[in-house]
Every structure is written in C-alpha cells, then in structure tokens.
Amino acid sequence: MPLSQSKRQQIWQTVRLIPYGKVATYGQIADLAGLPGRARLVGKSLSCVPEGAAVPWFKVLRSDGKIAFPPGSQQAHLQVGLLQEEAIVVVNNRVKLMTFQWQPDLAEMLWKLSR
DNA sequence: ACCTTGACATTGG
DNA sequence: GCCAATGCCAAGG
C-alpha cells in the first residue's frame, strides 16, 4: 500500500467527479483533492485502483494531454480504448486538452472546499 | 537517516 | 514538438 488510506480515498473520490466525455491532468486532480504539488501521488494512487472499481483512472493524463504509459504498451492501448468509449479523441497517444479537459463548476469547487 | 523510484510539472534550448 | 535539467513528495530498501 503506497499511500495512506485517507489520501488515496480522497484522490479516488476526486477522479470520480470527472464527467463523462471529459479528462483531467494529474496536477489538476492533486489540486482539487487538496494536495497541491503532489501530482505524482495521484499516479501512485491510481496504480492501485482495483479492477472494476468505479474510478475512471483512464481519464487522467499528463499536463500536456499525453497518456502516461509508454506508447505502444499494453496499458496504453487499454487506456486509449476506454477513452474512445467516451468519445474522447486520442491522436498519437495524446488528447487535446483544449477540447476535452474538465472545467470544474461551482458545485464541484464547493465540494473541494468542504472535503 | 540516506538513497532510489515513480501512471508528474515547468522551464529553457 | 522533443529532450534535459530541476523541483517535487511519499514509499520502500
């Protein structure tokens, strides 16, 4: 278990807020989860998401929109497939954030403040 | 306590 | 856009 239970839960909860058809970056999730500057922890937390859990780990990308896994890897292919199921366009292992990035609304910001 | 390791981010060339 | 250097932070040896 790489992370303390509470932080991991908090990160997973935040990832669950990403709406259908949208994506977010590791840093964005860290900030919204109340853990600014800890984008790497988001990656660690997502690496231990159990199979079939209601956490859309595949919608979290690097700050430039690229998929974090090595291009061509089995995991990268899986992620691309899952993204396409939500009509998110992936080109060269990258998603155009300008088009698909999640813009949290007021309700979500309030959740953040009261987490 | 020291060192290494990441599903990271930012900046500069 | 690609790459390298830095900064970052918690886990595990």
Side-chain angles (χ1 to χ4, degrees):
Chain A
M1 311 316 129
L3 269 173
S4 71
Q5 192 67 254
S6 62
K7 288 178 190 169
R8 194 171 62 197
Q9 285 298 326
Q10 203 159 315
I11 288 168
W12 288 358
Q13 276 302 309
T14 305
V15 171
R16 285 169 57 159
L17 296 179
I18 305 173
Y20 179 91
K22 293 290 179 183
V23 298
T25 68
Y26 292 95
Q28 183 180 11
I29 295 301
D31 289 345
L32 290 172
L35 301 167
R38 273 157 279 187
R40 308 188 81 134
L41 295 195
V42 173
K44 285 194 178 192
S45 302
L46 295 185
S47 72
C48 41
V49 169
E51 190 75 35
V55 180
W57 56 268
F58 58 90
K59 303 206 294 184
V60 184
L61 311 168
R62 294 182 112 146
S63 61
D64 58 4
K66 279 192 297 191
I67 285 176
F69 297 115
S73 67
Q74 182 57 203
Q75 311 203 59
H77 282 307
L78 168 63
Q79 187 165 4
V80 171
L82 291 170
L83 286 169
Q84 293 182 332
E85 283 180 31
E86 293 200 11
I88 294 166
V89 180
V90 183
V91 182
N92 292 327
N93 271 269
R94 176 186 331 238
V95 169
K96 288 206 176 183
L97 295 182
M98 212 194 195
T99 306
F100 297 103
Q101 186 169 200
W102 173 36
Q103 312 292 333
D105 62 28
L106 183 56
E108 281 137 359
M109 292 307 287
L110 290 176
W111 176 87
K112 168 198 169 187
L113 295 176
S114 63
R115 56 89 207 164

